[in-house]
Amino acid sequence: PQDTSDPHKIAYLNLSGGEQLVKVWVSLPNAQPDMNAWNDTLIKSFLVCDALNGNYTIGFPGSVSDFSSFADAVDALAQCGIGGPVTFLVMPGAYLEQIRLDEYPGLSAVNTLTIKSFTGDPEDVVIRYTASGSSDNYVVRLNGADYVTIQDMTLKAGQTGTFGNVVELSGGAHFNTIT
């Protein structure tokens, strides 16, 4: 029948860790020349990684840290999941970032996520974000994320007049601690 497809297992691949690029294409679909060759190729980039487990550092680009930004650390959570308790130790500095934490595979009462200052002094880590509208009106958003602890850091909303939320809990975020 026309306009149907069935999944086909092409091969098993053993990929090494890191960024991977897979390119798949077809030729002679239905044993005939393809009149629309422009849509015959699929290219997908993805990260192959082990689930996060243990302590990791967040610092600035060029520093000796596991992640150079909160965005990089959150991307790793989303792509790799959590395989044990995870702590992000944030190196001293002023970060101009917005942090959105969602539900992640493996995050639980046992496999928790902690984000805290490396030094334990809240004045050493300042995270600031200036919202431009109601859709980005937060510095930290816990969107369905459970069992997250944020501690020993200073969170500040930039001056915009109307928009100045610092922490937003949404999507059924439960069992979280911010100190």
Side-chain angles (χ1 to χ4, degrees), residues 13-23 43-49 79:
L13 300 173
N14 288 324
L15 302 172
S16 59
E19 190 74 25
Q20 301 294 324
L21 182 69
V22 174
K23 183 176 180 179
I43 300 173
K44 179 70 177 168
S45 174
F46 58 93
L47 181 66
V48 175
C49 52
Q79 293 186 24

Side-chain angles (χ1 to χ4, degrees), residues 63 98 103 127 132 147:
S63 68
Q98 186 178 46
E103 295 181 62
I127 303 168
S132 60
Y147 306 105

Side-chain angles (χ1 to χ4, degrees), residues 22-123:
V22 174
K23 183 176 180 179
V24 180
W25 64 93
V26 296
S27 61
L28 296 175
N30 300 320
Q32 304 207 1
D34 189 358
M35 303 312 283
N36 294 316
W38 60 270
N39 66 354
D40 291 349
T41 303
L42 171 68
I43 300 173
K44 179 70 177 168
S45 174
F46 58 93
L47 181 66
V48 175
C49 52
D50 293 328
L52 299 180
N53 182 10
N55 294 337
Y56 301 89
T57 54
I58 298 175
F60 292 100
S63 68
V64 182
S65 295
D66 298 302
F67 301 101
S68 62
S69 68
F70 286 93
D72 289 346
V74 169
D75 285 346
L77 284 171
Q79 293 186 24
C80 304
I82 294 177
V86 172
T87 299
F88 289 133
L89 299 165
V90 184
M91 303 307 285
Y95 296 82
L96 300 175
E97 288 196 65
Q98 186 178 46
I99 304 168
R100 177 183 164 147
L101 298 170
D102 296 314
E103 295 181 62
Y104 301 107
L107 190 57
S108 69
V110 174
N111 296 336
T112 59
L113 172 62
T114 301
I115 304 171
K116 66 181 188 175
S117 167
F118 184 84
T119 64
D121 184 346
E123 293 182 17

Side-chain angles (χ1 to χ4, degrees), residues 97-100 128-141 156-158 160 162-168:
E97 288 196 65
Q98 186 178 46
I99 304 168
R100 177 183 164 147
R128 179 187 308 270
Y129 181 77
T130 302
S132 60
S134 59
S135 64
D136 71 338
N137 188 13
Y138 61 90
V139 178
V140 175
R141 176 186 282 168
K156 291 185 176 184
T160 62
T162 306
F163 308 107
N165 290 346
V166 175
V167 176
E168 179 181 299

